[in-house]
């Protein structure tokens, strides 16, 4: 699924605003509007969080594809921490967080998986050697991606329901599912960091990286 870069920017800003709101009470003043435009969202973020966003989503755009992918993956780690904390979040803020999480799961999360499959793995697989014995592991990784895509979309719909004001009892199952999803993502990311990414950094040529980056730019700027 092509992902529009503007959608990714908006979802990153929304997630950062939610972190900021927890410390400043902005959600009580009506600053957090899930439908707000990009300029309004940017103005609502503190300078420190804006720098954090730039490091994760903007500054690495001129770097290597590994740098850009690392920013996407770190964003996912941060959002997983928010999922963990959601059960202990005040109701008004939790509804706003849920609205932003729905967008993240539908767009940013799917963009991470797409980049890993259509970028990283497409370039790595031809570079694998007979003794690497990674074919089965990569098959399992792709199967996990397939299941996680499906669950992310289901959880996004559940987050939409929380955002509209489900009772604590009705939302409880979704909060448990979000925490379980977050834990699976951390395990998945850790396995890739230990096995896939070091091998890719060692094997991919400069031509591989150049081709990957060009294809990555097209994916990030394609229109849905």
């Amino acid at each position: 699924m092509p992902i529009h870069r503007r959608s990714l920017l908006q979802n990153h800003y929304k997630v950062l605003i939610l972190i900021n709101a927890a410390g400043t009470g902005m959600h009580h003043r009506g600053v957090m509007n899930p439908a707000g435009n990009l300029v309004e969202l940017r103005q609502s973020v503190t300078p420190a969080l804006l720098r954090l966003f730039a490091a994760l989503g903007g500054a690495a755009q001129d770097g290597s594809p590994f740098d850009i992918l690392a920013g996407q993956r770190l964003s996912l780690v941060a959002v997983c921490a928010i999922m963990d904390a959601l059960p202990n979040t005040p109701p008004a803020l939790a509804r706003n967080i849920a609205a932003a999480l729905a967008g993240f799961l539908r767009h940013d999360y799917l963009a991470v998986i797409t980049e890993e499959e259509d970028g990283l793995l497409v370039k790595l697989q031809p570079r694998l050697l007979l003794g690497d014995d990674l074919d089965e592991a990569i098959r399992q990784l792709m199967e996990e991606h397939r299941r996680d895509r499906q669950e992310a979309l289901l959880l996004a719909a559940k987050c939409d329901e929380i955002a509209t004001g489900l009772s604590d009892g009705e939302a409880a199952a979704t909060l448990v599912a979000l925490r379980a999803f977050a834990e699976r993502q951390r395990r998945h990311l850790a396995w890739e960091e230990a096995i896939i990414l070091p091998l890719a950094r060692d094997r991919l040529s400069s031509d591989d990286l150049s081709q990957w980056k060009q294809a990555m730019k097209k994916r990030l700027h394609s229109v849905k």
Side-chain angles (χ1 to χ4, degrees):
M1 175 187 298
I3 304 296
H4 196 293
R5 180 65 180 161
R6 183 177 178 85
S7 296
L8 298 184
L9 291 173
Q10 283 195 321
N11 285 319
H12 272 85
Y13 275 126
K14 288 175 184 176
V15 170
L16 291 179
I17 289 167
L18 293 170
I19 301 171
N20 192 57
T24 64
M26 285 195 307
H27 55 290
H28 295 304
R29 303 198 300 273
V31 174
M32 178 55 203
N33 174 10
N37 63 42
L38 198 57
V39 173
E40 291 170 343
L41 294 173
R42 186 185 296 114
Q43 291 172 344
S44 301
V45 181
T46 65
L49 285 174
L50 193 59
R51 287 194 294 272
L52 174 60
F53 161 78
L56 293 178
Q61 294 303 306
D62 293 327
S64 79
F66 286 115
D67 294 337
I68 299 170
L69 182 61
Q72 292 177 320
R73 290 163 63 88
L74 282 171
S75 296
L76 176 56
V77 171
V79 172
C80 286
I82 294 173
M83 292 178 182
D84 284 339
L86 200 55
N88 300 317
T89 302
L93 180 57
R95 288 192 293 273
N96 281 335
I97 289 175
L101 285 177
F104 186 93
L105 289 167
R106 287 192 179 99
H107 300 291
D108 303 60
Y109 176 71
L110 298 184
V112 177
I113 291 182
T114 296
E115 202 52 60
E116 290 178 353
E117 292 186 351
D118 296 349
L120 175 64
L121 293 178
V122 163
K123 291 301 180 185
L124 176 60
Q125 285 179 299
R127 303 299 184 192
L128 294 178
L129 303 176
L130 185 62
D132 291 329
D133 294 326
L134 281 180
D135 290 341
E136 177 58 23
I138 290 175
R139 186 203 64 78
Q140 182 178 342
L141 184 152
M142 300 283 278
E143 176 61 20
E144 288 184 7
H145 281 175
R146 184 190 65 79
R147 292 197 303 266
D148 287 346
R149 273 194 185 96
Q150 293 175 341
E151 184 167 9
L153 294 176
L154 291 173
L155 287 173
K158 293 295 185 181
C159 285
D160 284 335
E161 293 178 0
I162 293 176
T164 61
L166 284 180
S167 68
D168 291 346
E170 292 172 317
T174 297
L175 298 179
V176 170
L178 284 169
R179 295 186 76 169
F181 181 82
E183 182 57 31
R184 286 197 303 276
Q185 299 315 301
R186 283 189 286 265
R187 289 199 301 267
H188 186 97
L189 290 170
W191 185 86
E192 290 172 335
E193 291 286 349
I195 306 297
I196 297 294
L197 286 168
L199 187 61
R201 291 188 184 98
D202 181 62
R203 298 281 176 82
L204 297 192
S205 68
S206 59
D207 284 344
D208 290 331
L209 295 177
S210 178
Q211 293 166 12
W212 178 12
K213 185 169 181 178
Q214 290 303 312
M216 175 185 281
K217 285 183 176 180
K218 290 179 180 178
R219 282 188 289 272
L220 288 174
H221 290 88
S222 61
V223 178
K224 288 198 293 183

